[in-house]
Amino acid sequence: MAAREIPTKPYLDQKPGTAGLRKKVEVFQQPHYLENFLQSIFDCAPELKGATLVIGGDGRYHNRDAIRTAIAMASANGVARVVVGQGGLLSTPAASHLIRKLGAAGGFLLTASHNPAGPEGDFGIKFNIAGGGQAGEGLTERIHAHSKRITHYRIDDDADVDLDRRATVQTGSMRIDVVDGVDDYAELMQSLFDFDRMRDWIRQGHGLRFDAMHAVTGPYARRILVEQLGAPAASVLNATPLEDFGGGHPDPNLVYGKHLVELAFGAGAPELVAASDGDGDRNMILGREIFVSPGDSLAMLAAHLPQLPGYRDGVAGIARSMPTSRAADHVARALKVPAFETPTGWKFFCNLLDAGQATICGEESFGTSSNHAREKDGLWAVLAWLNVLAVTGKSIAETARAHWQRYGRHYYQRHDYEGLPGPAAEAVMQAFAGELANLPGQQVGDRDVTLADEFSYHDRIDGSIASNQGLRIVCGDHARIIMRLSGTGTQGATLRLYLERYEHDASALAWRPADALAPLAAAADRLGRIGELTGRRAPTLVT
Ligand code: VG1
Ligand code: CO
């Protein structure tokens, strides 16, 4: 048809990070920038030819333009069918599910997650493969290498569609389905959870509040929580997706979700207060006067999972990223199932999920999900908690206290030093790394260091090895200090410091995390010379 070959010159900065390629919008708006990257994907993933491709994004600025380009390029590259969410919207977990359900060869997920949106904000793209998970390290590296020598891309300007109207249209040899992005996802949730009991729990007057932060989860939450579970409409806050996310920062944590913390700790607080991020894969869980840390949430959900309909067969294994607190490992031990430790980034869970070795996975960065998808899933975690509350009749605080009494408590914090000059961040990593060899046998924060190394991961399923995955100091079961550089930022470098301390004595279960972790924070600062090398007296973000 009208497919054209356009000559282009490579950009040399198209290296994806922890979760896809993320850059400032203005970078993506450079001539041929997006086209180059997409063509690199088409060239490195020939299985897309003649197959189905899912496309959708978190609704941020530039989403629609990018989707139209992607559709026009899909047609020119021989894709047989494109399935795109109405309005260009698909949450990350919904897109993952759609790829799986349709047997698609892959998907383009247009998102920079929780990073601010708008003309001055960020944009991003992830390529997910058949099965619904993010492209692995090998393919990602091939795409990046290809982008550095690309000379042409293919585009078919006739392949266009009205994104706002659900319909099937044929353009040339490609079929385009514009579908409701919520339908399939909502159906999946109904197959996993006990909607009747959840409805009863809400009808009994238990309150809940979910903040969609003007990002992609609004329509999902409205459909499931309000229309299907009968929660009052006011239960879903900021439910309309906006191109600039309302000027906000849809990163559900103690800082950007401070208003939710105040709600949960205030008078007349709802039973469950929750939020998700820009693309719907993160979650924050609060109960009356309690914040559930992501590591605890993973552990507590894992412990209750067999009580939920979709998981009656039990838990095959529990996986967490290395910096995530080891609370879930204790549950795995009690359930007599394996506990897996992977590098940061959801893609590392996918082989375990595909192999049926893990049922639930989690990251400290407010990510939790199960084998129902190959991405983390914010709303899934909220519904899982809702189902647990409805089944047990306990409050979140009671659930947490009972959990800590049985398993002990992992105090946990992440300290982020954002927007550092690259060399300063590298210097801290080097200083910290330089100390590691001497540490075993010495004490850190009153505890004996049992291991100090750089984490690398051997994937037993595909045999791959991922090295350089963070520096860690381990004091047996008692404590850990971990340091790594972020792979999702778009400005300068972000140093992440993760602190974990485990206590199981009944008298040590109700401390303030900041107090419990202060000695470890001081030790980390001393070992990495953070203050001295960055000039920062404190982290920019503590979650
Ligand atoms: C961060 C988190 C990581 C998460 C990733 C993508 O990566 O630490 O746990 O998987 O973001 O999440 P990094 O490299 O910046 O630490 V999302 O919701 O931003 O797609
Ligand atoms: Co996200």
Side-chain angles (χ1 to χ4, degrees):
M1 285 291 294
R4 295 182 295 145
E5 285 239 329
I6 313 278
T8 185
K9 288 207 182 69
Y11 288 91
L12 300 179
D13 65 344
Q14 299 195 323
K15 185 175 170 56
T18 313
L21 184 68
R22 287 185 194 173
K23 300 280 175 195
K24 291 270 157 225
V25 165
E26 62 190 27
V27 174
F28 268 101
Q29 284 173 330
Q30 296 172 95
H32 314 313
Y33 191 90
L34 175 68
E35 290 86 343
N36 279 11
F37 190 67
L38 293 177
Q39 188 62 49
S40 301
I41 297 174
F42 285 118
D43 289 344
C44 294
E47 64 274 16
L48 293 175
K49 213 177 212 143
T52 299
L53 174 70
V54 170
I55 303 180
D58 60 19
R60 67 177 60 225
Y61 181 80
H62 201 51
N63 192 46
R64 283 167 178 268
D65 286 350
I67 287 179
R68 293 181 61 197
T69 301
I71 289 175
M73 289 185 65
S75 169
N77 280 281
V79 169
R81 179 186 178 204
V82 157
V83 178
V84 56
Q86 189 177 7
L89 298 179
L90 279 179
S91 78
T92 288
S96 177
H97 172 57
L98 213 49
I99 295 170
R100 295 164 64 71
K101 186 173 172 187
L102 299 173
F108 293 154
L109 282 62
L110 302 156
T111 171
S113 189
H114 53 278
N115 295 8
E120 266 96 61
D122 289 353
F123 193 72
I125 175 159
K126 294 198 285 196
F127 175 52
N128 285 34
I129 54 175
Q134 292 167 39
E137 300 269 272
L139 175 56
T140 302
E141 193 30 60
R142 286 199 295 284
I143 293 168
H144 174 223
H146 192 85
S147 73
K148 289 194 281 190
R149 47 168 201 264
I150 191 163
T151 55
H152 288 81
Y153 66 85
R154 282 186 288 282
I155 191 155
D156 173 0
D157 299 312
D158 291 345
D160 200 4
V161 70
D162 177 358
L163 285 176
D164 292 309
R165 218 165 53 85
R166 262 177 276 162
T168 294
V169 294
Q170 187 73 33
T171 102
S173 55
M174 190 172 85
R175 167 178 157 189
I176 308 174
D177 294 300
V178 180
V179 302
D180 181 299
V182 181
D183 284 347
D184 294 288
Y185 179 83
E187 195 179 288
L188 175 67
M189 293 302 117
Q190 287 182 39
S191 74
L192 300 175
F193 301 121
D194 190 340
F195 271 44
D196 289 338
R197 280 190 98 149
M198 291 152 80
R199 216 174 281 125
D200 283 348
W201 185 83
I202 290 171
R203 200 180 298 133
Q204 285 158 17
H206 294 107
L208 73 100
R209 210 68 98 244
F210 174 85
D211 191 348
M213 297 183 151
H214 285 306
V216 79
T217 47
Y220 295 84
R222 219 187 257 142
R223 174 85 62 84
I224 296 172
L225 295 172
V226 179
E227 290 171 29
Q228 299 183 339
L229 292 172
S235 308
V236 182
L237 309 171
N238 304 316
T240 307
L242 299 175
E243 283 204 328
D244 65 349
F245 297 150
H249 198 146
D251 192 359
N253 60 37
L254 295 173
V255 175
Y256 298 115
K258 191 160 169 278
H259 56 292
L260 300 173
V261 179
E262 280 160 10
L263 178 67
F265 283 78
E271 202 89 11
L272 171 63
V273 178
S276 190
D277 71 333
D279 62 326
D281 59 358
R282 297 187 178 206
N283 74 92
M284 176 164 73
I285 303 291
L286 295 140
R288 280 198 189 124
E289 298 197 2
I290 185 164
F291 159 66
V292 185
S293 77
D296 272 351
S297 179
L298 171 66
M300 292 170 193
L301 286 180
H304 286 92
L305 211 56
Q307 296 180 51
L308 312 184
Y311 306 92
R312 288 264 147 79
D313 293 344
V315 172
I318 305 173
R320 60 166 176 80
S321 67
M322 186 275 281
T324 303
S325 98
R326 295 176 291 180
D329 300 17
H330 291 249
V331 176
R333 223 169 288 152
L335 293 174
K336 300 194 171 57
V337 299
F340 300 98
E341 185 175 53
T342 59
T344 293
W346 205 264
K347 57 180 176 273
F348 292 102
F349 293 131
C350 292
N351 280 345
L352 293 167
L353 292 164
D354 286 346
Q357 294 188 21
T359 304
I360 182 169
C361 310
E363 291 193 281
E364 51 64 42
S365 53
F366 296 79
T368 334
S369 190
S370 84
N371 55 2
H372 70 282
R374 293 296 178 270
E375 289 275 10
K376 50 194 153 82
D377 188 343
L379 206 47
W380 175 88
V382 176
L383 294 170
W385 266 101
L386 188 60
N387 200 159
V388 168
L389 300 179
V391 169
T392 61
K394 288 195 194 135
S395 71
I396 294 184
E398 286 163 351
T399 307
R401 276 197 297 270
H403 189 96
W404 294 332
Q405 240 142 41
R406 174 166 176 193
Y407 297 99
R409 178 169 181 187
H410 289 76
Y411 292 96
Y412 191 87
Q413 272 190 340
R414 187 175 95 187
H415 293 190
D416 289 338
Y417 295 80
E418 299 168 303
L420 293 174
E426 288 292 348
V428 173
M429 289 295 283
Q430 265 173 31
F432 196 77
E435 297 287 338
L436 296 184
N438 308 321
L439 284 175
Q442 291 196 32
Q443 287 205 324
V444 163
D446 286 348
R447 294 291 186 177
D448 293 333
V449 176
T450 52
L451 176 77
D453 70 354
E454 182 164 65
F455 179 62
S456 63
Y457 177 63
H458 174 208
D459 184 322
R460 278 166 213 287
I461 292 156
D462 65 14
S464 63
I465 290 175
S467 36
N468 289 319
Q469 298 297 324
L471 305 170
R472 61 178 174 177
I473 299 172
V474 183
C475 302
D477 280 345
H478 303 294
R480 287 190 308 162
I481 298 174
I482 293 148
M483 213 180 258
R484 60 180 280 282
L485 297 180
S486 157
T488 55
T490 58
Q491 230 163 10
T494 293
L495 178 76
R496 302 205 197 281
L497 169 66
Y498 310 80
L499 307 169
E500 175 192 39
R501 172 170 169 184
Y502 176 58
E503 296 292 334
H504 51 86
D505 196 88
S507 65
L509 300 179
W511 295 340
R512 272 174 23 127
D515 298 338
L517 296 165
L520 291 175
D525 186 45
R526 181 169 52 76
L527 293 166
R529 293 161 48 207
I530 303 175
E532 176 199 331
L533 294 170
T534 66
R536 300 271 179 90
R537 277 211 295 251
T540 40
L541 195 72
V542 176
T543 54

